Structures are given as C-alpha cells and as structure tokens.
Amino acid sequence: MARAVTTRRKAVVTACAWAIGLTIFFPILWTVLTSFKTEAQAIADPPTLLFFQWTTENYSEVLERSNYFRHFANSVIISVGSTILGLIIAIPAAWSMAFVPAKRTKDVLMWMLSTKMLPPVGVLIPIYLIFRDTGLLDSRIGLVVVMTLINLPIIVWMLFTYFKEIPGEILEAARMDGATLWSEILYVLTPMAVPGIASTMLLNIILAWNEAFWTLNLTTTNAAPLTAFIASYSSPEGLFYAKLSAASAMAIAPILIMGWFSQKQLVRGLTFGAVK
Amino acid sequence: MATAHSRTAARLMISPAVLLLLAWMIVPLSMTIYFSFLSYNLLSPGTEEFIGLLNYEYFLTDPAFFAALGNTLLLVGGVLVITTVGGVLLALLLDQPMWGQGIVRILVIAPFFVMPTVSALVWKNMFMNPVSGLFAYGASAIGIEPFDFLAHAPLFSIIVIVAWQWLPFATLILLTALQSLDSEQLEAAEMDGASKISRFFYMVVPHLSRAVTVVILIQTIFLLSVFAEILVTTNGGPGTASTNITFLVYAQSLLQFDVGGGSAGGIVAVILANIVAIFLLRMIGKNLEA
C-alpha cells in the first residue's frame, strides 16, 4: 500500500535534496570543470563556471610531462594485484568458516577483524625497516603484499557474509551424490558465490586504490601509485590549478565509476555485515 | 554433518589466512614494542641501547604529544559530530519520495571515492587558498577580507576536508539502515493510530541507533589514522597546530629518524585505538550471534 504523497511536498523534498547533493558534489564538479580551463582561466577573477574556452591541453600536458601512465599502472597493479592475492587466500578460509563452522570460528573471525583495527603507525617503523633491508622499499611487490594483508580481514569478512547466505543443504546434496570436496567447490559453490566474490573484489580495489598511508610512506618514485603522484603536486611549484585538476580527475574517475556501482556492497563490506 | 576429513580440510583452508594475519600482527608489533625500549636513531646506526621506559617518558611528557592528543580528539570528535548529525538528517531527507533519487544518491556518495590526497589538494588550492581559492573570491565579492584557512584555522580546515570525505559514508550506511526498516510495521503502527512523531521516536530512532553506533565506531577507527590530508595540506603545522598522533609518530620516526621515540608513540596509538576497538568488536560480535 503506497502512501499518497502530495506533489508539492515531493517538489520541496526534491529541491532540498538536489541542492544539498549538488553542494556536496561541487568540489568534484569544480575540479573536472577546471581541468578543461587554461591556467589563466583557472585562477580568473571572477571565476567562470561554464562559459570559458574549453580545452583538453591540460590532459595532454599531464600525460606528456609526468610519468602519469607509470603511476596509473602502479595503482592498477597494486589494487588489483593485492585484491586477487587476497581473494586467493581468503576464499578457502571464508568457505570453510561458512560451511564447516568449528567452535572457534566466531573467535577467529573477530580476531581477524581486530587486526584491521591496528593503527598503521603502530607497525610503520618495523615495516619500513624490513622493507629497507630487503630492498622492498618503493617496489610494487612490497606494496601488493602490504595491501593484501591490510585488506585481508575485510575480504574474509565480506566473503563470509556472502557465503553464509548460500544454503548448506545444496552442498550436502552434492556430497550425497558423490561429489568430492574440490568438485563441490568448483561446480556447486563457485557459480553461487561469484556475485559475492565480484562485490568483494570491487570494494577492495576501491579501498586499495585510495589507500594513502602505506603508499605515501613506502614509495618514492618507481612504485608510487596515483595517491603519491598527486601528493607530489602539493609542492609550491606545482600550483597549476588546471593541470592539478586534470591529474586529479584522471586519478579519481575510474574509482568513482566503480564506486557508484558498488554502493550496496560498500555498506556491507565496511560495516563487516553489521548493516545490510 | 561435517566429517573428520572435511574438518581437517577446513582447517587447512583457514590456515594461510590466519598465519599471514598472525605474522602481520605479531612480527612488526613486537618489533615496535622492542624498539620502543631502545635508544635508536637511524642517523647513528650501531649505537642502539636499552633505555627502559625512557622513550615513553619523553613521548608522553612532550608538549607536542599533548597538542597531538588534543588535535586527534578534536579531529575525530569534530568529524564524528558533523558526519553523524549531517548523515542522519541527509539520510532522512533522501529516504523521502522525490524525483531523481538515484542521481542525488550518486552525487552525495561521490566524495567517499575520491582519494585522500586529491581531496586534500583540491580543497587546499582551489577552495581554501587565500589568494586564488573560491572562498577568497566569495569573500572579496561580498566585501570581506579573505581568510587564510590553512594558516589560521588549520585543524578546522582539515576537519572540514575529512568530514566532506566521510559524510557520504555515514549517509549511505544510515540510508541503508533506514530503508531496511520494515515499512509494513510502520504502516501497521499508523493504522493503530500511532502519530507521526511517536512513530519516529519509537520505531525509526531505535532502528537507526544501532547503525549510528556502527558508523561512529568504524569512523573512529579510520579517523584516528588520518594522515594524507595532514601531510598534503599543512604538514602538521603551523607548529603542531594540526599534528595528530599518527602524524606525530610519522614525523618523529621518518623525519627525525628517532626510531625509539617513534615506536613508543606508535604503541601509545595502538593502545588508544584498542580502547575503541573493544567496543566495536563487542558490537559486531553480538550481531554475529543474532
């Protein structure tokens, strides 16, 4: 039974919501607009919102002058690599906790979660020194490993909450029919688990892409992902608004698009299943 | 039921994840604890010696520590107040029938996906810059002196930036919680003559309070470790005006190369985070049983 809503009320709500939504979104919009201006227009007084000479020269200049593609590739390698590695480790763990729960399963899950709450500065120095001594500083492999470990608890948890929803009877039926453990996983569980795995993957790529504590502290140039590359614009000589905007727009665009697709999963993943 | 065979297999399947996390937690953390008892500076290697609790004494009596502790509390508290109050209001608004709800949702959630270094730089240069930022134009347009936000109100500015990043998170979670409220129950209450106000306070508020708690606890965990926003905008300054505990430990260990002192600070940060974590874990654990 839908409740009747007056059109006027709906119009007022719509106007308020759009005004607030646009205000919150404005910094991103402004960044994108500025990225299409010339440097002079970017700091023009008064600022222009739409009526300026649109140009894409900032984009080509950023692409030309900085090693943008290298940093972009680093971001992709680190976020996707760590997510895949994390999934390889987490899928068996989450599977067994969801379908063969032991007495201590809950404790193990809670403990895994607690590792996520360890503040990074608590382990910054040892990791930095270990990396320095093993030559992992400023290396993609090193960052993939750190990012995998950081996000592993979230991956296990998200997969666990998804696997929990798969009816266990199906597995037992398969077992009765003589399916082995591995064929059970391959033919019965996998097809049902793919959506959950995909969501987990998406959220973790987003988290790893935007991670800015370890990436800033453990990289300099070679393995620096986009987070560190953008941070290099904070030096005084880098104050070119239009180019900064172009670089920023390119750094956030892929994840913004992925993020919009994964709103629901985000809630589930970031609240560890506490809010669905 | 699970056979002994499948139980062994299950244990084998859990062990890589458990062992890796165990190593990730124990090895570096015990190294930090060990370093925190040493006089250890990276600039003078080979001169490490055991000095007991001296690092803690220095760290905990350093005026910078109190400044950083205060700043951390203000930063976490300020952002929490803005995001939870704003998030509840926004979620209630977005839950109303309207045109283009999906698009508004997308606009509101967007800042959460912007990497911290980008949002910090955009706010710092394009909005808060006292000469060419948008706020400065706005100020001069209405005839008041532009305000140098990051120089004169650095912590406040960082609170604004971080709140902008986290408001979407709070809104999204609270909106999800709101939408999971059983509408049939609400309608039944309405039929039984419950007024709008009592429906709100006896049905919506209790339902939301759990989600609010989750939002507060999770954000606290992340907000205690705010780092990139400070590094990019103010570098902790002027002085220690915008240094939080995380940044102080970073500065002490990687800028001043004082491994011992930095480690002691790191352990202090771990203890602070643990206090929050205990509450959060208890809450999520309860949910796991339900």
Side-chain angles (χ1 to χ4, degrees):
Chain A
M1 189 182 85
R3 238 175 305 165
V5 178
T6 62
T7 313
R8 184 190 288 173
R9 185 191 149 92
K10 196 171 171 182
V12 172
V13 170
T14 304
C16 289
W18 274 88
I20 294 173
L22 285 172
T23 309
I24 291 175
F25 188 71
F26 184 73
I28 299 173
L29 179 69
W30 188 246
T31 306
V32 174
L33 288 175
T34 306
S35 73
F36 290 108
K37 295 175 181 177
T38 62
E39 290 296 350
Q41 283 166 339
I43 54 167
D45 187 4
T48 48
L49 188 61
L50 285 174
F51 303 105
F52 53 85
Q53 200 71 46
W54 289 67
T55 169
T56 53
E57 67 178 27
N58 300 306
Y59 285 91
S60 45
E61 215 164 309
V62 167
L63 292 177
E64 239 170 66
R65 282 215 307 213
S66 58
N67 243 329
Y68 181 83
F69 284 111
R70 184 181 180 83
H71 300 299
F72 184 85
N74 285 339
S75 274
V76 171
I77 291 170
I78 292 163
S79 56
V80 176
S82 68
T83 302
I84 290 174
L85 194 58
L87 282 173
I88 293 172
I89 301 164
I91 288 174
W95 182 88
S96 71
M97 284 195 273
F99 297 114
V100 197
K103 247 186 266 160
R104 284 190 306 272
T105 297
K106 195 194 144 193
D107 296 331
V108 172
L109 271 170
M110 296 312 286
W111 168 76
M112 282 189 172
L113 193 55
S114 73
T115 66
K116 183 70 198 159
M117 292 164 196
L118 182 70
V121 279
V123 293
L124 170 66
I125 299 163
I127 298 294
Y128 185 87
L129 293 178
I130 292 171
F131 271 42
R132 188 196 61 181
D133 296 341
T134 52
L136 284 173
L137 219 51
D138 201 19
S139 77
R140 290 163 175 172
I141 295 177
L143 270 185
V144 168
V145 170
V146 166
M147 223 53 93
T148 304
L149 290 168
I150 288 175
N151 285 334
L152 193 56
I154 291 190
I155 302 184
V156 173
W157 260 89
M158 270 188 88
L159 289 175
F160 173 77
T161 62
Y162 281 113
F163 288 177
K164 258 280 195 247
E165 286 168 10
I166 298 175
E169 298 83 49
I170 283 190
L171 290 181
E172 270 169 41
R175 209 171 294 151
M176 297 279 216
D177 292 343
T180 62
L181 184 64
W182 294 113
S183 61
E184 197 175 74
I185 291 175
L186 199 61
Y187 299 113
V188 184
L189 189 74
T190 308
M192 296 184 75
V194 160
I197 294 174
S199 318
T200 309
M201 199 167 166
L202 210 57
L203 175 67
N204 275 279
I205 291 174
I206 294 172
L207 290 178
W209 185 278
N210 288 342
E211 203 286 333
F213 180 81
W214 293 107
T215 49
L216 287 174
N217 278 313
L218 296 180
T219 65
T220 47
T221 46
N222 281 329
L226 289 168
T227 43
F229 163 65
I230 297 291
S232 70
Y233 273 76
S234 67
S235 56
E237 72 268 27
L239 285 183
F240 294 103
Y241 288 6
K243 278 184 231 20
L244 165 67
S245 298
S248 299
M250 286 190 284
I252 63 176
I255 248 45
L256 206 53
I257 293 163
M258 284 173 75
W260 282 334
F261 283 111
S262 65
Q263 294 176 45
K264 283 265 177 223
Q265 289 74 15
L266 186 88
V267 173
R268 188 178 187 143
L270 285 175
T271 62
F272 305 101
V275 175
K276 273 184 210 164
Chain B
M1 246 2 315
T3 59
H5 172 75
S6 72
R7 239 178 253 132
T8 316
R11 218 159 281 158
L12 273 178
M13 285 154 73
I14 297 188
S15 46
V18 170
L19 291 177
L20 278 170
L21 281 175
L22 203 62
W24 167 247
M25 236 185 139
I26 288 176
V27 175
L29 201 56
S30 40
M31 282 172 80
T32 308
I33 293 172
Y34 172 65
F35 290 153
S36 72
F37 296 120
L38 297 181
S39 155
Y40 182 0
N41 194 299
L42 286 179
L43 293 180
S44 44
T47 59
E48 298 91 50
E49 55 174 332
F50 186 79
I51 53 166
L53 291 170
L54 212 55
N55 281 323
Y56 288 94
E57 204 182 313
Y58 281 139
F59 189 83
L60 293 173
T61 55
D62 185 353
F65 167 70
F66 289 103
L69 187 63
N71 289 338
T72 307
L73 294 177
L74 277 174
L75 178 61
V76 174
V79 175
L80 280 181
V81 169
I82 297 173
T83 54
T84 42
V85 173
V88 169
L89 295 176
L90 211 51
L92 287 172
L93 177 69
L94 292 181
D95 197 35
Q96 309 292 316
M98 70 175 84
W99 289 293
Q101 195 172 31
I103 301 172
V104 175
R105 231 176 108 118
I106 281 178
L107 294 179
V108 170
I109 187 73
F112 189 72
F113 301 115
V114 176
M115 55 177 68
T117 46
V118 166
S119 54
L121 268 187
V122 165
W123 278 93
K124 175 191 180 187
N125 291 324
M126 287 158 63
F127 287 89
M128 292 171 170
N129 187 299
V131 180
S132 43
L134 266 191
F135 291 156
Y137 289 126
S140 50
I142 56 170
I144 52 173
E145 197 68 18
F147 185 71
D148 191 347
F149 287 90
L150 285 162
H152 297 124
L155 191 64
F156 170 78
S157 307
I158 291 170
I159 290 176
V160 170
I161 298 172
V162 177
W164 178 73
Q165 289 177 288
W166 284 93
L167 179 63
F169 172 79
T171 308
L172 187 65
I173 286 180
L174 294 168
L175 185 61
T176 310
L178 213 51
Q179 285 168 345
S180 73
L181 185 60
D182 193 351
S183 65
E184 278 181 17
Q185 257 183 33
L186 275 178
E187 270 163 37
E190 195 181 354
M191 302 257 230
D192 288 346
S195 73
K196 207 168 191 177
I197 294 168
S198 59
R199 283 204 306 272
F200 180 75
F201 280 104
Y202 292 109
M203 301 185 76
V204 179
V205 170
H207 186 77
L208 267 190
S209 66
R210 227 182 75 90
V212 168
T213 317
V214 172
V215 165
I216 289 176
L217 292 171
I218 290 173
Q219 283 201 43
T220 307
I221 298 290
F222 282 94
L223 294 176
L224 282 172
S225 302
V226 165
F227 172 75
E229 292 85 344
I230 296 175
L231 179 80
V232 167
T233 52
T234 63
N235 240 316
T240 54
S242 58
T243 299
N244 67 354
I245 300 266
T246 299
F247 198 84
L248 183 67
V249 174
Y250 154 80
Q252 187 137 21
S253 43
L254 295 191
L255 299 182
Q256 294 164 28
F257 306 105
D258 177 7
V259 170
S263 298
I267 296 303
V268 172
V270 170
I271 293 169
L272 287 176
N274 269 334
I275 297 170
V276 182
I278 289 168
F279 287 104
L280 179 57
L281 287 173
R282 197 171 291 168
M283 173 120 198
I284 293 172
K286 248 183 224 152
N287 186 58
L288 205 61
E289 278 156 10

